[in-house]
Amino acid sequence: MKRYRDVTIYVFILLFLITLLLFSYFSDTIAFHDVFEYITTAKELAGIHNLNIFTTHSLVYPYFLSFFLKILPGFTMIKIINSLFLFINGLLLYYHTKNKKTLLLWAFSPFLWFMSIQIIPMVPASTLILLSYILFKKYEDNGSKLYLFISGLSLGLAGAVYSPAFIVALFFILVFFWKRISWEVFLYLIFFAFGVLPRLILDYFLFRMPIYSLVRYFGANLLVILGNSPFKLEAFYSYWLLIPIIFTPLLFMIYKVDFKKYNKEIIFLILCTLFFGIRGGDSTYFILFIPIVFIPLSENVDRRLLQAGILISVILVIIFTSS
């Protein structure tokens, strides 16, 4: 029986991968915020010279994509690579929890399918943040400093790939290192800095200024804060209404989470939600940290509730992605 269950989960993982890639491939919608900037930059770095590099964001992800464009110069390749990060998120969740419910909740998340066709660095950044969290929990379990080092490196690399990940990293370090001994924080920050280094090197190589993209990004966001931008801070954003269902229709089960066991995770998720909710813009920023919520959530979902959630999720995916 156990062997049958193992085969079943592997078959599901394969079907999940194939469906995700086909969904991304057949979608003809690419007009999302900043997507054209990343695609154009990746093409330029791959040697497809149609426009000089002009960016207010990190060039690490476009530079990463450029290597694959040299192999297969087409939009299909970019879609495949981008979708694979969301698939890896599912594998990481399953690897960490050893619970197929976690994988199923993630695989049928309407938010995952909405994000799967958006070519933006927050997708790989979410994978790096999730990996950082899982490795940190491994460090807490067995005390191996290798997990601590790689966790810091992964979190720093997330910031190198996508600037708003620095905010998530700040909350992560404040919450998960609260009352921990100082040498752990010091070592973690050192490897975090090593993770950011590729961004500084690339900026220097392209613009002869190692903090070029950081200055431009935080300068642009200062305009948002001051109200001199189309993206203004508002008292209410319409996408807030979707939060109870867009990640998973079973999000309401969060009330049953063992707070004593997951108190740091809940505080971290609340801080991130409040910041990006008030900061506004759109709901896509939530992909940076929302995969973590599926870990405690999956422990409180029974089989019947899971089946109902999957059915509702399929309907929501059709609604949210049909246009």
Side-chain angles (χ1 to χ4, degrees):
M1 181 64 69
K2 182 179 183 300
R3 186 175 180 180
Y4 171 77
R5 288 198 298 266
D6 290 341
V7 172
T8 302
I9 194 66
Y10 292 138
V11 170
F12 175 78
I13 289 173
L14 180 60
L15 289 175
F16 173 37
L17 173 61
I18 294 173
T19 306
L20 186 61
L21 293 178
L22 289 176
F23 182 86
S24 181
Y25 174 77
F26 285 110
S27 172
D28 58 3
T29 302
I30 61 172
F32 297 97
H33 181 57
D34 292 331
V35 167
F36 297 117
E37 178 182 325
Y38 299 119
I39 294 172
T40 302
T41 304
K43 290 168 65 179
E44 168 66 23
L45 293 170
I48 307 171
H49 304 296
N50 60 330
L51 189 67
N52 290 332
I53 294 177
F54 177 82
T55 184
T56 56
H57 299 88
S58 170
L59 295 171
V60 174
Y61 189 47
Y63 186 65
F64 173 78
L65 290 175
S66 70
F67 289 101
F68 296 94
L69 284 177
K70 291 177 182 178
I71 299 171
L72 182 63
F75 193 60
T76 299
M77 175 58 78
I78 296 179
K79 284 185 172 183
I80 290 173
I81 300 302
N82 197 73
S83 298
L84 283 176
F85 285 105
L86 294 170
F87 173 72
I88 293 171
N89 281 1
L91 294 184
L92 288 173
L93 289 170
Y94 179 66
Y95 163 77
H96 178 64
T97 62
K98 301 296 189 295
N99 185 352
K100 65 180 181 181
K101 293 179 183 178
T102 316
L103 177 61
L104 287 169
L105 285 172
W106 174 250
F108 286 96
S109 167
F111 194 53
L112 177 151
W113 298 96
F114 177 69
M115 294 298 299
S116 66
I117 55 176
Q118 302 195 36
I119 314 301
I120 40 182
M122 62 177 70
V123 174
S126 74
T127 302
L128 291 166
I129 292 170
L130 178 60
L131 176 62
S132 179
Y133 165 78
I134 290 173
L135 291 173
F136 182 79
K137 300 303 289 185
K138 289 284 185 183
Y139 168 70
E140 286 188 324
D141 291 340
N142 61 30
S144 173
K145 293 183 180 62
L146 181 62
Y147 289 125
L148 183 70
F149 297 159
I150 302 177
S151 174
L153 193 68
S154 180
L155 193 62
L157 190 56
V161 169
Y162 191 60
S163 300
F166 284 122
I167 303 298
V168 179
L170 174 63
F171 292 141
F172 184 93
I173 294 171
L174 286 175
V175 172
F176 288 99
F177 283 89
W178 185 257
K179 293 185 178 180
R180 299 190 74 92
I181 51 182
S182 57
W183 69 263
E184 289 178 302
V185 181
F186 178 72
L187 287 175
Y188 197 84
L189 290 175
I190 288 177
F191 280 87
F192 177 86
F194 276 117
V196 179
L197 201 57
R199 177 171 185 163
L200 305 181
I201 294 173
L202 189 59
D203 275 7
Y204 180 78
F205 176 76
L206 294 173
F207 306 109
R208 294 297 182 265
M209 182 180 179
I211 58 172
Y212 174 84
S213 60
L214 287 171
V215 170
R216 297 209 61 170
Y217 175 79
F218 287 108
N221 274 265
L222 181 60
L223 291 177
V224 175
I225 294 172
L226 296 175
N228 297 318
S229 169
F231 302 99
K232 297 182 183 296
L233 298 174
E234 299 179 7
F236 179 79
Y237 292 95
S238 58
Y239 69 78
W240 289 359
L241 297 174
L242 297 176
I243 288 177
I245 59 172
I246 193 172
F247 307 125
T248 170
L250 301 181
L251 188 62
F252 69 93
M253 292 298 293
I254 198 73
Y255 80 94
K256 294 191 68 175
V257 168
D258 184 353
F259 183 78
K260 185 176 181 180
K261 179 180 179 181
Y262 290 108
N263 60 328
K264 290 184 178 179
E265 283 82 354
I266 293 172
I267 294 171
F268 167 71
L269 290 168
I270 289 174
L271 288 174
C272 291
T273 300
L274 288 174
F275 178 86
F276 288 105
I278 295 171
R279 165 60 175 76
D282 56 59
S283 61
T284 55
Y285 291 105
F286 285 71
I287 194 65
L288 292 170
F289 56 89
I290 208 63
I292 295 174
V293 80
F294 291 89
I295 296 172
L297 190 66
S298 62
E299 295 182 1
N300 300 286
V301 176
D302 59 34
R303 183 175 179 179
R304 183 173 297 180
L305 196 59
L306 180 65
Q307 291 173 341
I310 289 174
L311 178 60
I312 297 171
S313 292
V314 172
I315 297 172
L316 291 175
V317 169
I318 295 172
I319 293 172
F320 291 142
T321 64
S322 60
S323 61

